[in-house]
Amino acid sequence: MILNLPRFLETRRPQWLELEAMLNRLERDITCSLDLQELRRFHNLYTQTCSDLSQLSVFSSEIELRQHLESLIARCYGEIHETRRHQTRFSFVEWFLRTFPRTFRRQAPCFLLSCAMMLTGACLGAVSLRLLPNAKEIIMPFPHLLVSPSDRVAHEEKNLKDPMQGSQAGFSAMLMTHNTRVSILTFASGLTYGVGTLILLFYNGVILGAVCMDYIGDGQSRFLIAWLLPHGSVEIPAILIAGQAGLILAGALVGWGDNTPIRHRLRRIGSDVITLLGGLTLLLIWAGLIESFLSQYHEPYLPYSMKIIFGLTQLMLLLAYLSLCGRDLKKTKVSRRNS
Amino acid sequence: MSALGANSITLQTPEGIRFRLILAGPLVRMLAWLVDLSVIVAALTTLGTLSTLLGYVSQDLALAMGILSYFVISVGYGIVMEWLWRGQTLGKRLFRLRVVDEQGLALSLHQITMRNLLRVIDLLPGLYLVGGLSLVLSRRCQRLGDYAAATLVTFQPRILAPDFQLIMPDKYNSLRDHPHLCARLIRKISPEQAQIGLQTILRREELDPTARLELCQRLASDFKSMVPFPPETTWGLSDEHYVRNVVDILFQPKS
């Protein structure tokens, strides 16, 4: 049987247009919400269009019209059946003080694994440089790290002028973007079932360990701490968080001890991973500023003790922030009492 | 619930209604990406000019602005556009593509961010090789970023209502003189055959003359074999005219 298409179009088109207009409104403005009456009308139009589609698919093979109705229903379906929390207004304070630190703690095992991998790399880098001092060029293939630490310290301490004069902002921007790119790559390498992430963490650890051993072996421990601690106390945790995000992604792909389908697992970790990436970006912006405006200044320009105190204080604050912020104190007290 | 068809995915709503999402192929996605790339290059060029102007005030600030804007635009363009335009960038909008959740639900910010950030792996080792291979091999036409973010890129065709005036612009239809035969014809012809007839008439001017003649000949012969009309009614009617009359009966029944 063939449907009287012109009449069908004539009678039904106004409803489809009305539905399309409502959808356009919802889609154009992400903060838009419908009142109860509008919601009822929206749902009514949706069910009517569903019925039109089923009528059309039984009685006629009007392909283009069917596609149009299918696209309308597909758009409505997303709006009506979405049960995940749709946050239209983003509160930065709420996210910074609660969401990010809580997410970090919830996924702490991946962070610990990330730390272990980098530490293993650092130990290997330090031991390798200690045992094979001539292999420095292979272990740290960066020209600025190949200079003897004593020579560098002597050169820096002789310099009485501002070493970063007129280049702080550019250097800072370069550091921020470079480190963020490295972090994104570390996270994205989680797609290789975590192998890429682990390799990157290990490699960064090797370089870090070798640099530390180079300076310590040359008797420049104080300079090293004063140089690395102010920005490293934020930058290194940020890279570790990138590793944490990558390992979460890898964990969802591997699905150890989790029988849910892989698509569900990936869907579940999405918001945690993006929260961690947002947090580490903030940390890297801060680290970039500190590295450019503080870390590159040495004695006599800036006393080492001051830089070390700053770095230590910053590290303690970061640890306190990540481990304490967003904790529900009432719940903690109750659980303590119960235990 | 979902099922895969050729280049499309069928979802079923809890109300039992099935709808299809047409998956965008690699070629159209590449074209959309090239448009987006052009937009990014144009934005960077403009900002480069602004940076040069800023350089007259401070070289350092100009350098910082150049580096930051390059990073923000190259990484943020896809995220911001897809969030503001509900799964579309300029390139996707031009080619009528849209990123959607693979279960047909609303696209969330974390899905958009994840698929855009994972592009770094899809781009490896260069020219989208990993992403392209994944797209071709995946049954849902997903690059790795889409897979991890549980998203699909769909094609949303522009729908034009058929212009029924093109079938029979106020012309006499001799077949209508036999209403009982017309009713039999409506019953016998399948929706697929009716659709072929309709499309043949609507698109007849686009066809090659020989193909148009052959198609109408075959269709007319099929229709004639289903319900034969008296010879005096069909006398002098060309095959195309016959098909036009049949389509007119099928799609514009007179009440």
Side-chain angles (χ1 to χ4, degrees):
Chain A
M1 189 181 159
I2 311 293
L3 188 75
N4 184 348
L5 204 57
R7 195 181 300 160
F8 183 72
L9 280 174
E10 200 182 315
T11 51
R12 306 301 306 135
R13 192 187 293 260
Q15 272 91 338
W16 302 337
L17 289 174
E18 189 184 346
L19 182 63
E20 195 168 13
M22 283 182 111
L23 276 170
N24 287 342
R25 210 179 98 202
L26 278 171
E27 289 176 357
R28 210 175 296 129
D29 180 9
I30 49 175
T31 59
C32 173
S33 57
L34 304 176
D35 61 33
L36 188 61
Q37 206 174 352
E38 285 177 316
L39 264 177
R40 279 188 183 141
R41 180 69 186 149
F42 184 60
H43 188 256
N44 194 8
L45 288 170
Y46 167 66
T47 48
Q48 276 177 18
T49 311
C50 283
S51 148
D52 293 341
L53 178 65
S54 77
Q55 217 177 327
L56 204 64
S57 48
V58 172
F59 293 116
S60 168
S61 60
E62 184 35 70
I63 295 167
E64 287 180 341
L65 185 59
R66 207 166 60 194
Q67 280 176 353
H68 177 58
L69 293 190
E70 278 177 353
S71 91
L72 272 183
I73 289 171
R75 287 163 70 193
C76 287
Y77 177 75
E79 298 293 337
I80 287 176
H81 290 278
E82 179 57 83
T83 52
R84 287 174 294 181
R85 195 164 144 240
H86 183 59
Q87 202 167 5
T88 49
R89 290 192 192 280
F90 173 74
S91 160
F92 177 77
V93 176
E94 164 77 12
W95 176 86
F96 184 73
L97 293 179
R98 294 171 76 92
T99 314
F100 173 51
R102 279 180 174 185
T103 308
F104 171 80
R105 288 195 295 273
R106 194 167 50 245
Q107 301 287 356
C110 288
F111 181 78
L112 294 177
L113 181 58
S114 188
C115 289
M117 202 61 200
M118 192 180 254
L119 201 63
T120 311
C123 291
L124 187 84
V127 171
S128 305
L129 197 79
R130 186 76 182 164
L131 296 177
L132 306 160
N134 294 333
K136 191 172 166 180
E137 283 179 31
I138 300 164
I139 301 169
M140 302 185 293
F142 305 106
H144 65 281
L145 293 176
L146 296 177
V147 189
S148 153
S150 308
D151 291 349
R152 186 195 163 187
V153 174
H155 174 77
E156 299 277 8
E157 291 182 353
K158 216 188 292 175
N159 191 6
L160 297 174
K161 286 182 188 169
D162 181 351
M164 297 294 295
Q165 195 174 23
S167 62
Q168 289 107 324
F171 184 57
S172 174
M174 191 272 287
L175 291 167
M176 286 173 202
T177 54
H178 173 263
N179 290 335
T180 310
R181 273 185 205 285
V182 170
S183 300
I184 291 173
L185 185 65
T186 309
F187 151 68
S189 303
L191 272 178
T192 58
Y193 289 86
V195 176
T197 302
L198 291 174
I199 289 173
L200 284 170
L201 287 168
F202 183 80
Y203 177 70
N204 279 304
V206 169
I207 306 284
L208 187 66
V211 170
C212 291
M213 180 51 77
D214 195 24
Y215 277 75
I216 294 165
D218 210 8
Q220 302 299 337
S221 309
R222 199 160 159 260
F223 177 89
L224 175 77
I225 298 169
W227 170 42
L228 289 187
L229 201 60
H231 68 274
S233 56
V234 175
E235 189 181 290
I236 294 167
I239 301 289
L240 290 170
I241 292 173
Q244 179 185 19
L247 292 174
I248 295 169
L249 178 60
L253 287 170
V254 176
W256 243 331
D258 190 346
N259 292 329
T260 51
I262 187 165
R263 293 183 186 283
H264 290 202
R265 296 199 300 265
L266 286 168
R267 194 177 276 274
R268 211 166 43 210
I269 56 138
S271 87
D272 279 5
V273 162
I274 299 306
T275 301
L276 290 175
L277 289 174
L280 77 86
T281 306
L282 283 184
L283 293 179
L284 288 174
I285 291 171
W286 177 248
L289 291 170
I290 296 299
E291 185 166 359
S292 181
F293 289 89
L294 185 71
S295 293
Q296 301 303 327
Y297 291 88
H298 309 284
E299 277 184 351
Y301 214 83
L302 207 63
Y304 291 143
S305 53
M306 205 187 97
K307 286 174 73 182
I308 293 170
I309 290 169
F310 176 84
L312 280 174
T313 314
Q314 189 178 242
L315 184 62
M316 300 306 272
L317 284 173
L318 182 67
L319 285 175
Y321 164 67
L322 290 173
S323 54
L324 298 174
C325 253
R327 271 189 198 277
D328 202 337
L329 291 174
K330 278 181 190 169
K331 271 188 185 173
T332 318
K333 276 180 190 170
V334 169
S335 65
R336 268 187 202 159
R337 255 181 239 152
N338 290 342
S339 64
Chain B
M1 200 175 95
S2 68
L4 273 168
N7 291 329
S8 69
I9 178 170
T10 306
L11 299 170
Q12 187 171 349
T13 68
E15 295 88 357
I17 298 296
R18 285 164 176 264
F19 61 90
R20 278 181 323 141
L21 296 173
I22 305 167
L23 302 173
L27 186 68
V28 71
R29 284 181 70 169
M30 191 186 78
L31 292 172
W33 179 69
L34 286 175
V35 172
D36 289 333
L37 196 66
S38 317
V39 173
I40 290 173
V41 170
L44 289 175
T45 313
T46 314
L47 277 164
T49 315
L50 287 175
S51 293
T52 315
L53 290 174
L54 189 66
Y56 291 110
V57 182
S58 162
Q59 284 285 342
D60 188 28
L61 274 180
L63 180 67
M65 190 186 141
I67 294 170
L68 286 177
S69 55
Y70 174 77
F71 178 77
V72 170
I73 290 172
S74 58
V75 176
Y77 168 79
I79 299 173
V80 173
M81 294 300 282
E82 285 177 10
W83 176 236
L84 291 178
W85 283 359
R86 296 258 184 156
Q88 287 189 310
T89 55
L90 197 71
K92 288 194 179 80
R93 188 169 268 204
L94 273 179
F95 288 94
R96 305 195 65 79
L97 307 183
R98 190 185 283 272
V99 182
V100 297
D101 179 275
E102 67 177 8
Q103 290 183 349
L105 302 171
L107 199 60
S108 65
L109 182 59
H110 71 251
Q111 285 179 297
I112 293 170
T113 313
M114 194 183 290
R115 75 181 294 279
N116 278 288
L117 291 183
L118 291 177
R119 201 185 295 275
V120 290
I121 296 292
D122 283 309
L123 281 166
L124 290 174
L127 293 172
Y128 251 117
L129 200 67
V130 169
L133 272 176
S134 158
L135 209 94
V136 173
L137 296 175
S138 155
R139 292 199 307 156
R140 293 168 179 242
C141 287
Q142 286 171 302
R143 60 176 176 85
L144 293 179
D146 284 320
Y147 182 74
T151 54
L152 298 170
V153 180
T154 58
F155 174 64
Q156 301 192 313
R158 186 192 299 277
I159 313 297
L160 296 171
D163 185 0
F164 291 97
Q165 283 304 309
L166 288 173
I167 303 173
M168 290 287 285
D170 303 323
K171 282 191 180 167
Y172 169 67
N173 184 348
S174 58
L175 303 188
R176 285 197 189 278
D177 294 342
H178 306 276
H180 64 293
L181 292 178
C182 290
R184 198 180 297 167
L185 192 71
I186 290 172
R187 250 197 339 268
K188 278 207 165 182
I189 290 178
S190 70
E192 287 73 23
Q193 286 169 315
Q195 190 59 39
I196 294 170
L198 176 67
Q199 293 305 325
T200 305
I201 296 304
L202 291 177
R203 296 177 187 176
R204 60 188 183 272
E205 298 301 335
E206 299 164 26
L207 295 172
D208 174 72
T210 324
R212 178 174 171 176
L213 206 67
E214 275 177 26
L215 188 61
C216 289
Q217 209 169 18
R218 286 182 59 184
L219 280 171
S221 128
D222 281 355
F223 292 152
K224 280 174 190 171
S225 66
M226 280 176 195
V227 180
F229 279 80
E232 65 274 15
T233 310
T234 56
W235 188 84
L237 276 183
S238 68
D239 287 330
E240 185 177 310
H241 203 155
Y242 190 89
V243 174
R244 210 159 63 173
N245 285 2
V246 171
V247 170
D248 177 49
I249 291 165
L250 295 175
F251 287 93
Q252 306 201 93
K254 300 279 186 290
S255 50

